Amino acid sequence: MSNNGNTVSTHPLTRALGWFALGLGAAELVAPKRLANLIGLRPSNWTTGILRVCGAREALTGIGILSGAGSRRWLQTRIVGDIMDAGLLWRALGRSPWHSFLTRSHQRPRLTGALLAVGGVAALDVVALGLGSWNSRREKQQGSRSAITASITIDRTAADLYKFWRQVENLPRFLSYVESVTTRDRVRSHWRVKVPHGPSLEWDATIVEDRPEQRIVWTMQSSKLGMLIDSGEVRFEPAPGGRGTEVHLTLWGRAVPKVMARWLRKLPERFWSAQLHRLKQLLELGEITVSDASPFFGPHPARPAQEELTSAPLASSATPTPGPAVADTDDGRPS
Amino acid sequence: MKALCWYGKKKVRIDDVPEPKLLNNRDAIIRVTSTAICGSDLHLYNGFIPSMEKGDVLGHEFMGEVVEVGRDVKNLKPGDRVVVPFPIACGRCSACKDQLFALCENSNPNASMAEALWGHSPAGLFGYSHLLGGYAGGQAEFVRVPFADVGPIKVPSWLSDEQVLFLSDILPTGYMGADMCDIKHGQVVAVWGAGPVGQFAIASAKLLGAERIIAIDRFSYRLNMAKEKAGATDVINYEQTDVSEALSELTGGRGPDACIDAVGLEAHSHSAMYAYDRAKQMMMLETDRPIALREAIRACRNGGIVSVIGVYGGLIDKFPMGAIVNRGLTLKAGQCHVQRYMRGLLARIEKGEIDPSFVVTHRVSLDDAPAAYQMFLDKRDDCEKVVLKAA
């Protein structure tokens, strides 16, 4: 966050807002009565007290913004402060019991003016914040791009896993929604995806790095829409303790602002984790485990389905099945 | 076919649903003869377990007759009489190879949902939420059993349904609770909760050589059963007696060598703590009420073992970690690895070392299951265990 902050504070608008906050804060702290008169508030002990508190807050935010450290946070604080101020002025304007407590009659024009001023400054705060994230976004596009990662350990050799993955026609067997993958030549393939209740997508993929039993890297080219994901890598590494092979999947896409990325990443990472679990089932068991609800997109009760399952989950016998199950070999507890 | 379906908090009813079909190659279809309502079904009934859908078929304790098997099931044939363990386990992943069947890596199709809540996913279970797989349960006339070559075991015809039905869950669960206590000669074990799992934890502690077994509950009929049938040497009714004082008295101030929590997330007590946890649960500030667990940790002797077999779903509050660390306690927990214990326990039943049917107090037809849920919840008519006759 702190380097985001630095990019924000370098902008002249941000610095101006910092100085403005400092000035306003000082005025509120030093001359609350005059300020109250100016904006149409009743200059009582109460209102001057409130103004002093607001002044302390303003001065603090001003210093925060100008110091440059985490000034993004401070700008956000300013916006919250603006909302508070506007709320207070709105109360004074309204017909609530607050009205007579905070102001005198015939002060409406001054109050309205003050409210508009607060609104204007708030708008500038939002703009400054936006400039900041635009800057940091541009910075990121030049630097690292956003990545989604998912990993799983599968009880097969790296050779088995590489062989399965390199034969890209195999991939729709565990990837949900992928209708087909057809190979064009040794490295190029064409992908068709149908998302339920969503769009049909097609793209070409090209393998750009191919290290047997270790790693495959590919890029994706879509003629229609700019794709969120444009390249990917899968690595196969032996798991320690003879536990099979670790599959590490990384997908790169458009750079996304860091704040958004943290949230945006959760959903695809869960999706890709689910996909890798399906791969594990396919390669360890020879088929993908289904429950009563899992073949359906979206919520479905855990009860036998009325409808025939169209995409029959019964696996073809093409996948080599691993060794026998263990339960019959050992009763576990002596009696 | 008829099946008991969940429709929300305290709403279950018998629905007519389609009969199950084979979906995977290692599936079997079982015609259910007997099934039971589990204490953990009451957590679903009371709406404490997330990710339920309206229309879910409940039930994870069931047995019956095989009617159809998938092409890769070689050890079962139509007509076999089997008991089915409640965790669904593939038998081939590394967890299954380590006999940790309730942690099977391949049986939960919604593993990524469980990962979001718990960090990693356990095995899928029958009729126990979508977080744990979205599998239809066995409180129905028929049920589909995945990995039928691993889970179900054949039972001899001379044993009645009620003698073997509880191999599906509560007998092995109680047994694992005692097994985790590493009971040595002369040891004292305290069991919180004298429901069916607590009864079997007591009976198992006795089988495993505990010298003194203390049952803690608030219903005298359950405590009587613990003493007369399960083998408890002492009982404490926590509504009449202060539990920590009584345990201190019974153990010469040491505390029990091992404490078993067979209560779980809906614990009761008459203390202010109960009101506190109830309120936090209602405000969604904690999901589970760990009253029995806190008490078990406090009571356990220095260096002792706390074994948790009661069901917890999410987060608890005011967890006495200080007691665990400073007094060197060991906390063990788990959903039961039923497949690991079933055969050994069936042998014990065959030899007459234990007859689990002593917990059964009510036998009703599947049609009357909704009323039976409410009776079990209210502990009416001295209800301890309800067996549903599906056929």
Side-chain angles (χ1 to χ4, degrees):
Chain A
M1 285 307 295
S2 58
N3 57 352
N4 273 4
N6 284 332
T7 58
V8 183
S9 70
T10 52
H11 199 278
L13 177 62
T14 311
R15 293 197 76 80
L17 283 166
W19 283 112
F20 172 77
L22 201 57
L24 179 63
E28 281 174 311
L29 278 171
V30 177
K33 269 196 184 150
R34 266 195 210 171
L35 193 73
N37 278 325
L38 185 72
I39 62 174
L41 287 176
R42 182 195 287 271
S44 65
N45 282 344
W46 266 102
T47 49
T48 52
I50 294 170
L51 281 173
R52 280 213 172 93
V53 172
C54 293
R57 185 205 67 210
E58 277 299 307
L60 197 68
T61 8
I63 293 166
I65 293 174
L66 291 172
S67 74
S71 66
R72 200 181 155 70
R73 279 275 155 77
W74 288 112
L75 266 176
Q76 287 165 341
T77 314
R78 255 210 64 83
I79 294 172
V80 174
D82 291 337
I83 294 167
M84 272 170 63
D85 293 352
L88 213 60
L89 290 166
W90 184 255
R91 284 284 185 191
L93 263 172
R95 295 192 188 285
S96 69
W98 284 73
H99 169 72
S100 56
F101 185 63
L102 289 171
T103 183
R104 283 189 281 242
S105 33
H106 315 304
Q107 296 284 24
R108 289 185 82 86
R110 283 177 179 241
L111 274 171
T112 314
L115 193 59
L116 286 174
V118 169
V121 176
L124 288 177
D125 284 332
V126 174
V127 169
L129 199 63
L131 281 171
S133 28
W134 182 79
N135 273 347
S136 58
R137 189 160 57 216
R138 209 173 44 171
E139 216 169 60
K140 213 155 287 155
Q141 259 160 2
Q142 289 152 358
S144 68
R145 299 188 307 131
S146 73
I148 295 162
T149 57
S151 310
I152 203 160
T153 301
I154 298 179
D155 192 12
R156 300 297 291 263
T157 63
D160 285 349
L161 290 168
Y162 168 81
K163 217 165 91 187
F164 179 86
W165 200 292
R166 184 62 183 80
Q167 196 91 42
V168 289
E169 298 96 327
N170 278 329
L171 302 181
R173 292 175 57 196
F174 75 93
L175 290 173
S176 333
Y177 320 132
V178 175
E179 276 184 348
S180 68
V181 177
T182 42
T183 46
R184 294 242 157 109
D185 57 36
R186 225 180 50 78
V187 293
R188 284 193 307 147
S189 53
H190 185 72
W191 291 60
R192 292 164 62 94
V193 171
K194 174 78 186 88
V195 181
H197 316 296
S200 284
L201 297 170
E202 289 189 35
W203 64 81
D204 289 314
T206 312
I207 293 177
V208 292
E209 194 183 331
D210 183 6
R211 269 192 252 163
E213 302 185 19
Q214 288 176 33
R215 153 182 151 99
I216 303 168
V217 184
W218 64 93
T219 59
M220 294 142 89
Q221 303 84 36
S222 167
S223 49
K224 258 193 232 155
L225 29 128
M227 292 206 325
L228 284 170
I229 295 168
D230 55 28
S231 55
E233 175 201 67
V234 62
R235 281 179 292 126
F236 308 107
E237 292 171 5
R243 277 175 288 194
T245 306
E246 295 174 2
V247 179
H248 298 275
L249 178 69
T250 312
L251 299 165
W252 287 280
R254 289 268 172 97
V256 184
K258 207 174 180 178
V259 198
M260 272 163 76
R262 207 188 307 158
W263 297 100
L264 283 178
R265 237 183 6 228
K266 284 277 173 256
L267 215 58
E269 283 189 345
R270 210 171 294 165
F271 173 82
W272 285 105
S273 162
Q275 301 297 307
L276 290 186
H277 276 288
R278 290 161 60 90
L279 173 68
K280 180 180 166 80
Q281 290 157 14
L282 185 63
L283 291 174
E284 288 190 350
L285 308 176
E287 60 180 332
I288 288 168
T289 313
V290 294
S291 70
D292 300 272
S294 70
F296 298 91
F297 180 80
H300 186 280
R303 69 204 294 175
Q306 198 84 57
E307 48 279 70
E308 281 294 327
L309 295 172
T310 44
S311 57
L314 289 176
S316 70
S317 50
T319 314
T321 340
V326 294
D328 264 344
T329 62
D330 194 351
D331 286 1
R333 302 300 307 172
S335 45
Chain B
M1 66 163 186
K2 283 183 286 190
L4 181 110
C5 299
W6 183 93
Y7 279 93
K9 195 175 169 183
K10 298 196 180 170
K11 268 186 263 171
V12 292
R13 65 167 189 252
I14 299 294
D15 266 4
D16 188 34
V17 306
E19 284 182 16
K21 301 182 195 80
L22 298 171
L23 298 177
N24 282 120
N25 293 326
R26 292 163 67 194
D27 287 353
I29 305 293
I30 311 281
R31 186 179 61 83
V32 177
T33 53
S34 293
T35 170
I37 305 175
C38 182
S40 63
D41 286 330
L42 293 181
H43 302 320
L44 302 172
Y45 187 62
N46 285 332
F48 279 104
I49 305 293
S51 79
M52 294 292 289
E53 295 284 341
K54 287 192 168 63
D56 286 352
V57 179
L58 302 190
H60 55 267
E61 298 179 6
F62 56 91
M63 62 178 294
E65 188 190 307
V66 176
V67 291
E68 196 183 354
V69 295
R71 113 182 156 207
D72 291 344
V73 180
K74 310 287 185 211
N75 58 332
L76 295 178
K77 56 179 191 309
D80 284 345
R81 181 169 175 248
V82 293
V83 179
V84 180
F86 78 91
I88 300 169
C90 77
R92 286 176 180 158
C93 67
S94 64
C96 287
K97 283 178 188 163
D98 288 345
Q99 304 270 308
L100 301 170
F101 296 98
L103 304 176
C104 172
E105 295 162 8
N106 287 321
S107 64
N108 185 358
N110 296 331
S112 61
M113 210 199 266
E115 284 169 354
L117 183 64
W118 294 323
H120 299 278
S121 173
L125 308 182
F126 289 102
Y128 216 80
S129 86
H130 290 255
L131 199 61
L132 294 170
Y135 289 97
Q139 288 166 6
E141 288 179 288
F142 294 91
V143 61
R144 165 190 166 239
V145 176
F147 307 118
D149 53 335
V150 173
I153 56 165
K154 288 185 240 184
V155 287
S157 55
W158 55 273
L159 290 171
S160 70
D161 272 18
E162 284 175 19
Q163 285 175 296
V164 291
L165 171 62
F166 304 133
L167 286 168
S168 58
D169 175 355
I170 53 173
L171 178 59
T173 296
Y175 189 87
M176 186 168 108
D179 187 36
M180 289 194 294
C181 293
D182 290 340
I183 296 167
K184 290 172 192 71
H185 179 70
Q187 286 200 324
V188 183
V189 177
V191 181
W192 273 256
V197 169
Q199 301 289 346
F200 290 142
I202 291 163
S204 303
K206 191 178 167 195
L207 285 173
L208 293 172
E211 180 155 324
R212 202 157 191 181
I213 305 159
I214 306 159
I216 302 158
D217 203 293
R218 65 183 161 137
F219 295 105
S220 51
Y221 73 91
R222 295 190 157 192
L223 292 171
N224 289 341
M225 182 183 277
K227 202 154 187 181
E228 285 156 21
K229 304 281 181 59
T233 53
D234 304 88
V235 297
I236 300 172
N237 186 325
Y238 67 75
E239 284 191 338
Q240 291 158 13
T241 317
D242 183 288
V243 175
S244 61
E245 270 174 34
L247 286 174
S248 179
E249 183 66 31
L250 285 166
T251 59
R254 299 182 309 273
D257 298 293
C259 295
I260 299 175
D261 172 0
V263 176
L265 68 91
E266 287 186 72
H268 291 85
S269 108
H270 59 296
S271 67
M273 218 51 196
Y274 176 68
Y276 169 85
D277 281 304
R278 204 60 213 249
K280 286 206 81 163
Q281 234 173 4
M282 276 192 305
M283 291 188 290
M284 314 270 273
L285 292 173
E286 66 176 344
T287 60
D288 306 355
R289 300 197 295 264
I291 297 161
L293 179 58
R294 286 191 200 113
E295 206 168 71
I297 291 168
R298 281 185 65 84
C300 194
R301 78 148 158 86
N302 283 359
I305 294 173
V306 178
S307 159
V308 186
I309 47 176
V311 172
Y312 289 85
L315 306 171
I316 59 170
D317 184 24
K318 294 223 173 345
F319 185 70
M321 199 61 205
I324 294 182
V325 172
N326 292 292
R327 303 201 294 107
L329 303 182
T330 302
L331 187 66
K332 297 190 191 177
Q335 289 281 11
C336 182
H337 308 295
V338 178
Q339 287 87 334
R340 187 204 296 179
Y341 295 104
M342 273 181 126
R343 287 176 173 80
L345 287 168
L346 176 61
R348 283 188 191 266
I349 296 170
E350 285 174 331
K351 279 190 235 158
E353 289 176 29
I354 184 169
D355 183 351
S357 61
F358 76 84
V359 295
V360 181
T361 52
H362 292 78
R363 298 157 182 91
V364 302
S365 87
L366 180 62
D367 298 284
D368 298 326
Y373 264 79
Q374 192 59 42
M375 172 182 68
F376 187 32
L377 176 67
D378 297 339
K379 312 288 179 288
R380 261 187 284 128
D381 194 26
D382 289 358
C383 183
E384 177 81 11
K385 187 72 179 173
V386 183
V387 172
L388 306 170
K389 295 289 172 190

